[in-house]
């Protein structure tokens, strides 16, 4: 998911969304800038940073978010 267009974008996802958007790998990458934000609804576990992404385990899915993006 690319949030870089326009700036100041907010994405809200829960575990069902992550699984629905990635049927084969259960992993989604979110690109963005420091003006963008991602709101993870429900419980999640913060994972490690790899390259430009920090991982978040959301249910049985993984959300990999650009480290520039604010995550709440």
């Amino acid at each position: 998911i690319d949030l870089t267009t326009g700036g100041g974008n907010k994405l809200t996802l829960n575990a069902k969304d992550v699984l629905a958007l990635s049927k084969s790998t259960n992993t989604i990458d979110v690109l963005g800038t420091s003006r963008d934000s991602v709101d993870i609804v429900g419980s999640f576990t913060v994972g490690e940073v790899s390259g430009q992404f920090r991982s978040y385990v959301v249910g049985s899915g993984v959300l990999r978010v650009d480290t520039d993006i604010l995550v709440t």
Side-chain angles (χ1 to χ4, degrees):
I1 299 173
D2 188 352
L3 300 179
T4 59
T5 304
N9 297 299
K10 181 177 182 177
L11 176 66
T12 302
L13 294 168
N14 62 33
K16 286 183 181 180
D17 296 327
V18 173
L19 296 177
L21 290 169
S22 178
K23 296 181 189 297
S24 61
T25 64
N26 294 342
T27 301
I28 296 175
D29 290 347
V30 181
L31 299 170
T33 69
S34 59
R35 298 183 318 189
D36 300 315
S37 64
V38 172
D39 182 20
I40 303 173
V41 177
S43 63
F44 62 91
T45 303
V46 179
E48 297 180 8
V49 173
S50 177
Q52 75 182 62
F53 295 100
R54 175 173 297 280
S55 63
Y56 299 85
V57 178
V58 185
S60 58
V62 177
L63 189 59
R64 292 178 2 113
V65 180
D66 191 314
T67 55
D68 291 335
I69 298 174
L70 172 67
V71 176
T72 58

